Amino acid sequence: MKHEFLHTTVLKAETIEHVLPSEKLLQSLKSDSSKNLIYVDCTLGGAGHSIQLIEIFAERNLFQNFDLTLIAFDHDDNAINHAKILLNKLKEKYNRFHFHIFNENFGNVKSAIETHFPNQKIHGLIADFGVSSPQLDWAERGFSIHHEGPLDMRMNPQENFTALDILNNYSEKDLTRIFFDYGEEPKARKLAKAIIQDRKIGKLQITNTVEFAAYIKRILAYPKGKVHPATRTFQALRIEVNNELASIENLLQDLPKVIHPNGKTGFISFHSLEDRIVKHAMRNWQKGKNAKEKMEEKKEHNIPLHLMIHLEENQSKGFGKEIPRGGIVASEEECKRNNRSRSARLRCFEFCFSLET
């Protein structure tokens, strides 16, 4: 079925303002013959953030002095096809704008940069970890509690593993784990036990999202509230199907290895699991050498060798700071326009270190 790709970008202006190149970065690039700024959009989607970036480059006359290369990632063909049309129009308008789209997971940013842009550092990076509106609204994608569709939940339709595979094959222990860890569902064990029991006697005759949402509601027997009882379980299944948290971990692990010493980043999270990973990574980056203690406890992210050397030489100082501390949430006005922005939190980090060793 063919759909129009309609997506409302969350925290668009705030994100771009916090990842625009600093004056220090622009000054450092003046001696660079290419004068090329490289930005990464980890979650291209409807290209809302990228288009805002390009338009502000034009508005502030940055295209007079610099090229802008956008490196974008998305594993949804629908999003890529939609975004290509919009970005090609901008490429025709601004001859100093170039873009490359990779049809793969953003956890592969480092390998893509090193393979296709060797010996180059990126100057800015944006990642919006939310599910796009089309993925939620198109019933056949299987993400929605309210629209009847297959129990799918694949962000990349080319993958074979679906939510239905989890329900049909996972053990009670593994179901409990993902419902509790990824959905933060207090009744995770009760739901997992019911699924296994019904599966054994052939009563788990569930093939679509609406049926499964009703099944969860009946098993968990929560009193009526604003949030559907199946919301946390659907989140857990989606995270497991797409290996979402591991992708975020990989991105944050690799980012300091490919970022420019004065680069900026912005990450938009929609639930506490994502935001917690981002927050702890930024704390590491700010702590610098002191994060080694946490690394040994496997609670924090590794620091690349070239940054460790920098930290040794700079009295254990970190290599940047979160701006603003604690992040940014959507305004009331934006929340009224787009209810899905209510749970969004933007965290930005400005790097400041030396690669000289």
Side-chain angles (χ1 to χ4, degrees):
M1 185 183 295
K2 189 174 182 181
H3 297 275
E4 186 179 0
F5 195 99
L6 298 173
H7 176 67
T8 303
T9 306
V10 172
L11 290 164
K12 182 163 61 175
E14 294 88 342
T15 302
I16 299 308
E17 277 300 325
H18 282 83
V19 300
L20 284 172
S22 65
E23 191 60 38
K24 187 175 182 180
L25 173 59
L26 296 178
Q27 289 293 330
S28 71
L29 293 178
K30 281 192 173 179
S31 58
D32 185 348
S33 58
S34 68
K35 290 187 170 53
N36 184 30
L37 284 160
I38 300 175
Y39 272 74
V40 173
D41 188 339
C42 292
T43 46
L44 182 60
H49 287 114
S50 290
I51 290 170
Q52 178 86 350
L53 176 70
I54 297 158
E55 290 177 343
I56 288 185
F57 256 66
E59 177 187 309
R60 301 189 184 179
N61 297 320
L62 288 172
F63 279 129
Q64 291 185 359
N65 301 307
F66 299 95
D67 285 3
L68 172 63
T69 297
L70 173 70
I71 303 171
F73 292 79
D74 208 296
H75 44 196
D76 189 320
D77 289 335
N78 292 307
I80 290 174
N81 293 334
H82 170 77
K84 275 184 178 177
I85 295 170
L86 301 176
L87 294 175
N88 274 319
K89 288 180 181 178
L90 290 170
K91 192 175 188 305
E92 292 174 3
K93 189 175 181 180
Y94 307 114
N95 59 12
R96 298 195 71 169
F97 166 61
H98 317 277
F99 71 91
H100 306 267
I101 301 177
F102 292 92
N103 187 0
E104 56 185 286
N105 186 279
F106 61 76
N108 301 325
V109 164
K110 177 175 174 288
S111 61
I113 297 293
E114 291 178 345
T115 300
H116 299 279
F117 305 90
N119 303 316
Q120 296 192 55
K121 298 292 182 183
I122 62 175
H123 303 103
L125 180 141
I126 303 161
D128 178 346
F129 299 132
V131 181
S132 70
S133 296
Q135 288 172 330
L136 288 170
D137 295 337
W138 297 352
E140 64 267 30
R141 299 303 298 273
F143 287 96
S144 176
I145 294 168
H146 306 291
H147 303 296
E148 184 175 316
L151 279 164
D152 191 323
M153 301 194 190
R154 291 172 297 171
M155 290 186 177
N156 180 359
Q158 304 306 315
E159 298 288 343
N160 296 319
F161 185 59
T162 69
L164 188 60
D165 292 324
I166 294 173
L167 297 181
N168 286 337
N169 299 299
Y170 272 33
S171 67
E172 182 178 336
K173 181 180 178 181
D174 285 335
L175 286 173
T176 301
R177 173 183 59 80
I178 67 165
F179 294 158
F180 186 79
D181 289 350
Y182 297 161
E184 300 180 296
E185 171 54 64
K187 298 183 180 181
R189 184 172 297 171
K190 180 179 181 180
L191 178 59
K193 186 175 182 178
I195 290 172
I196 296 300
Q197 286 179 343
D198 286 344
R199 200 168 75 191
K200 284 179 179 177
I201 61 176
K203 287 182 61 178
L204 194 69
Q205 303 297 323
I206 296 171
T207 59
N208 69 63
T209 52
V210 173
E211 286 178 355
F212 187 51
Y215 176 87
I216 296 169
K217 186 176 182 180
R218 177 171 60 82
I219 296 297
L220 299 186
Y222 279 118
K224 189 174 181 180
K226 291 183 179 179
V227 179
H228 194 290
T231 300
R232 288 185 287 262
T233 303
F234 270 58
Q235 173 182 298
L237 289 171
R238 192 198 78 220
I239 290 173
E240 179 73 2
V241 168
N242 298 288
N243 205 19
E244 293 177 33
L245 300 186
S247 296
I248 297 172
E249 292 271 1
N250 290 340
L251 171 64
L252 297 172
Q253 170 81 19
D254 291 337
L255 181 57
K257 304 170 189 175
V258 295
I259 194 79
H260 185 276
N262 298 116
K264 293 181 178 180
T265 61
F267 306 95
I268 301 174
S269 302
F270 286 82
H271 55 76
S272 60
L273 300 176
E274 296 169 339
D275 184 58
R276 193 176 301 132
I277 294 171
V278 174
K279 179 173 67 175
H280 282 291
M282 288 185 174
R283 283 180 179 175
N284 267 5
W285 298 342
Q286 288 187 155
K287 289 176 185 175
K289 183 181 173 183
N290 294 334
K292 288 177 71 177
E293 298 173 7
K294 296 291 185 182
M295 284 162 47
E296 291 169 0
E297 298 172 9
K298 297 183 179 179
K299 292 182 179 178
E300 305 282 346
H301 296 270
N302 286 327
I303 298 175
L305 178 61
H306 69 273
L307 292 181
M308 285 305 302
I309 295 173
H310 159 73
L311 296 168
E312 293 282 359
E313 295 175 346
N314 288 275
Q315 292 80 47
S316 302
K317 292 179 182 177
F319 40 92
K321 58 183 177 180
E322 182 183 4
I323 301 176
R325 187 171 181 178
I328 300 168
V329 296
S331 66
E332 269 306 312
E333 183 181 346
E334 179 173 358
C335 291
K336 287 177 183 176
R337 292 196 312 268
N338 178 15
N339 187 56
R340 289 171 180 165
S341 68
R342 290 189 179 277
S343 58
R345 180 177 293 274
L346 166 68
R347 290 187 185 271
C348 302
F349 196 89
E350 183 173 2
F351 285 86
C352 183
F353 61 87
S354 171
L355 287 175
E356 295 177 4
T357 60

